[in-house]
Amino acid sequence: MAEYTTPITTTFEMQRQAIKQGQNAVEQGVEFQQTVSEAFVDSLGSQESAQRRTVELSKTAFHSYLDAIESTMPGAAGSVEEIREAVDEQFEFLLENHAELFGNIEEETREGLDAYDELTADYLDAMDEQIEMVLDAHEDLEGQSIEAAEQVEDQVEQMQDQVEQVQDQVQEVQEQAQESLEA
């Protein structure tokens, strides 16, 4: 009976494999997105550090400029020192705000990623459940299809048997008729 059911079984197996491959592709896509997001959050520390160094270099350059003014303008030391203190306060304020900003960005980004991870985990769980239901229904349909094919095969075999019986009867009648004619 496998003569009629093998193509059905093969087709259903190929369909199940395609469904599972689609499921794997979605899961890999989510994992890739999570990896990219984590890389982005991890890069925030490097960005903060690079920007902090740039601010500190600007501060150093400004101090060098003030040093140059102080050395070329005798008697300006008091004014330059006041400017230096004001500049240092502004740079400290800038660096504090900078650190706070990046701390907030990282915290908010991590919270967003955690929420995204929870959402995608729920999505993947729901997808897994739905695919499992689809595969169960698919297997049921396969069983019904095989059963129907086997019934058709049985009916074809019965018809072949009946055709053979009719052919035997026809041949027997022909032989009897031939014998009657010869007698």
Side-chain angles (χ1 to χ4, degrees):
M1 285 200 194
E3 174 181 341
Y4 291 101
T5 59
T6 299
I8 295 170
T9 303
T10 302
T11 300
F12 275 92
E13 184 58 33
M14 287 173 36
Q15 289 171 346
R16 277 192 294 278
Q17 290 304 318
I19 290 169
K20 289 176 183 176
Q21 287 173 353
Q23 179 182 17
N24 288 337
V26 169
E27 289 171 353
Q28 288 173 355
V30 167
E31 287 173 14
F32 175 75
Q33 181 61 42
Q34 289 171 329
T35 301
V36 168
S37 297
E38 282 298 321
F40 171 75
V41 171
D42 292 344
S43 75
L44 287 175
S46 298
Q47 291 175 20
E48 178 188 11
S49 178
Q51 288 182 10
R52 178 175 284 281
R53 281 193 300 273
T54 301
V55 170
E56 289 170 350
L57 283 173
S58 296
K59 179 181 175 183
T60 302
F62 204 78
H63 276 274
S64 296
Y65 175 71
L66 291 176
D67 290 344
I69 289 175
E70 193 174 34
S71 67
T72 58
M73 297 178 72
S79 298
V80 170
E81 190 56 34
E82 287 177 24
I83 294 171
R84 187 182 312 269
E85 287 175 12
V87 166
D88 285 348
E89 283 179 21
Q90 292 301 312
F91 273 106
E92 276 305 310
F93 180 73
L94 176 63
L95 288 172
E96 286 174 15
N97 284 336
H98 184 265
E100 186 178 327
L101 172 68
F102 268 90
N104 289 339
I105 289 172
E106 185 172 350
E107 182 181 334
E108 292 295 322
T109 303
R110 286 216 182 268
E111 286 176 9
L113 287 176
D114 289 345
Y116 173 78
D117 288 348
E118 287 178 28
L119 180 65
T120 54
D122 290 345
Y123 167 77
L124 290 175
D125 288 344
M127 181 187 70
D128 288 346
E129 287 177 22
Q130 292 298 315
I131 287 177
E132 197 60 42
M133 289 171 51
V134 165
L135 291 174
D136 288 346
H138 192 262
E139 287 177 8
D140 289 345
L141 180 60
E142 177 184 14
Q144 292 170 6
S145 298
I146 289 172
E147 187 178 314
E150 288 172 346
Q151 288 175 357
V152 167
E153 185 177 8
D154 287 344
Q155 290 173 354
V156 167
E157 287 175 3
Q158 287 175 4
M159 283 180 51
Q160 286 175 339
D161 288 345
Q162 289 173 352
V163 167
E164 287 175 10
Q165 287 175 359
V166 168
Q167 285 175 339
D168 289 345
Q169 289 174 355
V170 167
Q171 186 174 0
E172 192 177 304
V173 168
Q174 285 177 342
E175 288 174 3
Q176 287 175 357
Q178 183 71 28
E179 286 176 9
S180 296
L181 289 173
E182 291 176 3

